Each structure stands twice: as C-alpha cells, then as structure tokens.
Amino acid sequence: MNPWPVPDPDLPADVHPALALTARAAARAYGTARARHTRAELREEIADGADGTPTMRVDRYVEDAIASAAARAGVNLLSEEAGFVDNGSATTLVVDPVDGSANAALGVPLSCFAGALVLDEEPREALTVWFDTGRAWHAKADVPTPFRTTGRTGLRGANVCLMRPKRGTEEAWLRVANQADRVRVLCTTCLEAALVAEGSVDAFADPGSDTHRLMDLMAALVTVPAAGGALLDLRGRPLTFGLDLSRRWSGIAAATPELADELIATILG
Amino acid sequence: MNPWPVPDPDLPADVHPALALTARAAARAYGTARARHTRAELREEIADGADGTPTMRVDRYVEDAIASAAARAGVNLLSEEAGFVDNGSATTLVVDPVDGSANAALGVPLSCFAGALVLDEEPREALTVWFDTGRAWHAKADVPTPFRTTGRTGLRGANVCLMRPKRGTEEAWLRVANQADRVRVLCTTCLEAALVAEGSVDAFADPGSDTHRLMDLMAALVTVPAAGGALLDLRGRPLTFGLDLSRRWSGIAAATPELADELIATILG
C-alpha cells in the first residue's frame, strides 16, 4: 500500500464552484483508493475508457467521484473514461481525472487533477491540482496569472520536460535533449504544463507521438498562455473543444511563442 | 521567486540526532534560500566545490547550515562542497546537502537531503528527506525497513528511473527505455533511490555516465538493501567509504539483485 496521505487541495477563493467541487472530490477519491488498494490493484485495467485507452482501477475511483460532483454542480462533463455526460448545462467541464495514471497507481508522487470549464466551446477557466501536495494552479482565459513562465526564448540551455520517448520519436527526443540544458521525464503532462506556467521549467513537449487527448491539454490551453507562455500542437492542428475523443495532438507548452517555435522546428528536424 | 513552502521534515523517532539535526537544518536553509532569492540567483554558480563541480548559491545555503549542525552534533562531515570536516569524532556524516541542485534552484519540486552515518568506514544509518513534502525515508544497515521494494526481477515491463542521457550514453539509455514499461527522468538520484526503496518504481540507473560521487549513493547504499533491493555500480567498482572525492560511479538501484543484473547487462549491451 502507498502510505502517504493525499491532502485536500489548497485552492484560491475565486475558483469556479464546479472546478473546486470536482477537484476536491478527485483528491478525496484518490486518497481513498490509495488507502484501500495495493499498488497492483490500483494499476489493474478494469475496463476501456470512452477515449479507447484502458481504465485502471485508480482512474475509475476518481472518475466516479468527479461524475457525481459534476452532476451536483450542474455542469456537463467530458472525461476520458465516461466520455460526454450531458447534465443540461451550457457549461462543460473537460477533465483529466488522474493525469499521470501510471504514476498515481504505482505511487510515483507525480499525478494531478486537471479541469477546464468550457462555455460555448471556449475554455474559460482552468484548475490543476497536484495530488501529492495539494498545490493548485488556477487561471482564467486572458487574465494574467500571479505565476509567470520563465520568459526564455531559446532552446539552448533551456530546462525542458519531455514525454518519454516512444517508438519512432527517439531521434526527435534526443535532438531536443542534446540542445537543452537538462531534460526531465515526469510522465504527467498536466503537472509538467503547470511547471512551465509557474516558471520552474522552460517547456514541455510531446516529441511527435500524438499521445495527447483534449483533456490532457485543455487546462494548459488556459493556464500556460495566461502565465505568458504558448500552448501549441506540434503539427499545427487547432486545439479546439469537441466531443470526438479520437482526436490526438502532440502538445508543446513553452515559456514563450519563440521557444515553442524552436522546439517544434527541432522536433520536426 | 518560488512561492511554495519547504515543510519541516517528518522524521521517525529513532533517527540518529546528527542525521535529524542536519536534515532539519537543511530544510530550513533551503526554505530561507527560496524565500530570499529568485530562481536565477539560487542557480548562480558562486564557487567550485571540493568535488570539483560548481557550487550554486542554493547549495551554499544548505551546505553552511549542515556544517553548523554537524559541528553542533559533534560528528565529522564529508560533503560535496566543503569536503571533509574533522570535528574529532569516530562518526562521519556523508551528506548530499541538496540532491537535485538544478531542480532545487529552478523550482522543480524534486530535490532532497540525503545523509548517511559512517562509523569505522561502514555506513550504519541513512536518512533521505524530500524537501518539497517533508517525506522521509530512514534505514539502519541490515535492519529491514517498513517500506519494501517491488520485488520485481525482470526489466521487461518494469518502471524505471534513469539519469538523463548524457553524450555517449544515449544508446544504452534507449536500450533500457525500450525494454522497460515506462522510464522517468527526475534529475534527483537520492530521491529516485528512495522511490525504488519504497516500491514506487522498480529501479534507477545511471546508464554509464559515471556521474555519481560517494554522497550521491551512500544513503541509498544503506536504504535500498534494507528495503530488499540492491545497490551496485555498473562496472562492479566497490562502493566504499573514503575521502577521495574524485571517485565516480554509475549507480544502479534495483528492487532485486536479479533486476540489477539485467539492467547492467542491458546497459553494457
């Protein structure tokens, strides 16, 4: 069993109630799952999600808690396991219940809740909560956040988080690693995007594996630009709201648009 | 500035006073450094350490606090910046004041204190404290710890932490990455070794860059075996106490000796 507690999220006062309610419910559910199950049980794949990827037991715990919370809050839900749940609202909560599911199941203390509120197909507000510490990053679209990106414009000497190299992306991965000062691989896109937004690393990139789904990027799409950075797709595909969960992107989060462009050029070779 | 607090370490009652005193002093000093300095200031290289690597300002803050605490505790100190400080004791504290210095300076919340008590050249007790959470892993030589490794014996499907690929180790790095289920790069050897010891990942490896100094491995040399795992050098060099800070190793921490052997074979190709 994983002995460490999952604290209640430390949220700013002005977080939208639907985001606050679901983030708190997610943290509580993850804490309960860790207290009840071994690491192997948390990791067990018990179903296939609406997005076509397997659902681990830990995902199910958190997803169920979020679905209840979204219904209580009276907003629709778009989530990787459940798909779209219409609660009759003009507002949809796009959520990755457990970003970094493998970490969350194993006990690697790098996983988070990431949610974005979408009104009329436009993301308006986002919240990312690091489960193991309760640290939260909150942003509203086009409103500058108190935390800021590093402002770095060039890749040489940058500190970069990368998605782990998957088959076919090894060369691009190494090109970035060789240009950067240091690379890190934390296996949790939403938390890595929050680290870009708060200025702890200069950038995060999926070097071409097209792994990201809408819920992996929606919170960052609000948070990173509000902190002064850029959130783009490697191949220029528009990052727009929609209910088709088969869409995929290779997300690039960077301290500045210039750094995002250099990362993209380096990855595409 | 980095706005997050550095909590007081959460230590078991039976930690040796010299380890407890220095760990608490280290956490306080890192908290002070974060409150006083920007990320750029923390990262500034202000001297060369006794081990020949540059000393960042954040290292200096924590190292100074540890040197005072070791003197108060009446033990000798062997540390990467100060080298050997003889306080007239039979006991020497071997310490990495800030493991993951680059993370600690930037604000990536993955850095730790790691100390080992050495009596008559034998490491007897170790303590690792993750600064950003206060989580602590304590072990005494040959005494089983409450936390245990995963017990995994094979690399295929394993969850592995790797040192970032440095020039000349890229091929070995990718061989491990392709065999494992997932790789992570956290850039903090001592914390990654603690994650091996507590069973959150199966192994950690430096794939041949010979980066590790004595203080990077001494705490793990007590903690990982006490948790059921193995701590070895890639090329079979003995991991023994000594005052020569020019010695280097490529440390391998694994859930079992079998997994350590397979990792070594895979890296050496």
Side-chain angles (χ1 to χ4, degrees):
Chain A
M1 311 286 260
N2 184 333
W4 306 109
V6 178
D8 197 45
D10 184 16
L11 302 183
D14 62 333
V15 173
H16 189 286
L19 279 171
L21 202 65
T22 47
R24 291 193 198 284
R28 267 196 306 275
Y30 178 41
T32 301
R34 285 215 309 214
R36 282 192 194 156
H37 294 286
T38 64
R39 299 167 200 262
E41 287 167 355
L42 291 176
R43 201 178 171 193
E44 198 183 331
E45 295 177 355
I46 55 172
D48 280 324
D51 66 346
T53 63
T55 301
M56 297 183 199
R57 180 170 279 110
V58 68
D59 296 318
R60 174 60 60 81
Y61 261 85
V62 180
E63 170 97 15
D64 286 353
I66 285 176
S68 298
R72 280 201 306 283
V75 296
N76 307 330
L77 178 68
L78 183 65
S79 182
E80 56 188 280
E81 321 302 343
F84 184 67
V85 180
D86 188 346
N87 288 321
S89 173
T91 300
T92 296
L93 183 66
V94 179
V95 68
D96 191 352
V98 184
D99 180 76
S101 289
N103 285 347
L106 293 165
V108 177
L110 297 165
S111 65
C112 65
F113 164 94
L117 275 181
V118 175
L119 184 62
D120 298 333
E121 309 214 332
E122 286 299 318
R124 299 295 183 90
E125 182 174 340
L127 179 68
T128 305
V129 175
W130 179 7
F131 283 130
D132 273 88
T133 63
R135 289 184 191 178
W137 296 266
H138 176 231
K140 294 181 180 177
D142 307 322
V143 179
T145 44
F147 48 87
R148 309 303 296 161
T149 72
T150 62
R152 178 180 284 272
T153 54
L155 181 56
R156 186 164 293 281
N159 278 276
V160 175
C161 283
L162 288 175
M163 181 165 286
R164 65 195 164 89
K166 298 185 177 181
R167 299 267 179 196
T169 67
E170 291 97 335
E171 286 186 19
W173 197 99
L174 286 174
R175 276 198 301 276
V176 175
N178 287 335
Q179 287 278 326
D181 179 27
R182 280 167 198 250
V183 292
R184 293 157 183 83
V185 177
L186 309 189
C187 290
T188 166
T189 290
C190 298
L191 186 53
E192 289 169 296
L195 293 179
V196 174
E198 72 161 27
S200 289
V201 294
D202 298 302
F204 165 80
D206 171 352
S209 73
D210 288 354
T211 294
H212 292 132
R213 303 145 307 171
L214 188 67
M215 40 282 288
D216 294 313
L217 300 174
M218 212 66 179
L221 190 61
V222 174
T223 309
V224 175
L231 197 285
L232 299 171
D233 171 63
L234 177 69
R235 306 182 213 282
R237 289 162 289 200
L239 280 156
T240 51
F241 177 75
L243 300 184
D244 175 4
L245 292 186
S246 69
R247 291 189 299 166
R248 291 290 185 276
W249 295 268
S250 289
I252 309 285
T256 59
E258 294 84 349
L259 181 55
D261 287 345
E262 188 176 346
L263 260 169
I264 289 169
T266 303
I267 291 167
L268 295 180
Chain B
M1 312 286 261
N2 184 333
W4 305 110
V6 178
D8 197 46
D10 183 17
L11 303 183
D14 63 334
V15 173
H16 189 286
L19 279 171
L21 203 63
T22 48
R24 290 192 198 285
R28 267 195 307 274
Y30 178 42
T32 301
R34 283 214 312 212
R36 280 189 195 160
H37 295 285
T38 64
R39 299 168 200 260
E41 288 168 355
L42 291 176
R43 202 178 170 192
E44 198 184 332
E45 295 177 355
I46 56 172
D48 280 323
D51 67 347
T53 63
T55 300
M56 296 183 199
R57 180 170 279 111
V58 67
D59 295 321
R60 174 60 60 81
Y61 261 84
V62 180
E63 171 97 15
D64 286 353
I66 284 176
S68 299
R72 282 202 306 282
V75 297
N76 307 329
L77 179 67
L78 182 64
S79 184
E80 54 188 282
E81 321 303 342
F84 184 67
V85 180
D86 189 346
N87 288 322
S89 172
T91 300
T92 297
L93 183 65
V94 179
V95 69
D96 192 351
V98 184
D99 181 76
S101 290
N103 285 347
L106 294 165
V108 177
L110 297 166
S111 65
C112 65
F113 164 93
L117 275 180
V118 175
L119 184 62
D120 298 333
E121 310 212 333
E122 286 299 319
R124 300 294 184 89
E125 184 174 339
L127 180 68
T128 306
V129 175
W130 178 9
F131 283 129
D132 273 88
T133 62
R135 290 184 191 180
W137 296 266
H138 176 232
K140 295 181 178 176
D142 307 322
V143 179
T145 44
F147 48 86
R148 311 302 296 161
T149 72
T150 62
R152 179 181 284 270
T153 54
L155 181 56
R156 186 162 292 280
N159 278 276
V160 175
C161 282
L162 288 175
M163 179 164 286
R164 65 196 163 91
K166 298 185 178 180
R167 299 267 179 198
T169 67
E170 291 97 334
E171 286 186 19
W173 197 99
L174 285 175
R175 277 199 299 277
V176 175
N178 287 334
Q179 286 278 324
D181 178 27
R182 278 166 200 251
V183 292
R184 292 158 184 81
V185 177
L186 309 189
C187 291
T188 167
T189 289
C190 298
L191 186 53
E192 289 169 296
L195 294 180
V196 174
E198 72 161 29
S200 288
V201 293
D202 298 302
F204 166 79
D206 172 353
S209 74
D210 288 355
T211 294
H212 291 132
R213 303 143 309 169
L214 189 66
M215 40 283 287
D216 293 314
L217 300 174
M218 212 64 177
L221 191 60
V222 174
T223 308
V224 176
L231 197 285
L232 299 170
D233 171 64
L234 178 69
R235 306 181 214 283
R237 290 162 291 200
L239 281 157
T240 52
F241 177 75
L243 300 185
D244 176 4
L245 292 186
S246 68
R247 292 188 298 165
R248 291 290 185 276
W249 295 268
S250 289
I252 308 286
T256 59
E258 294 84 349
L259 180 56
D261 288 345
E262 189 177 344
L263 260 168
I264 290 169
T266 302
I267 292 167
L268 296 179

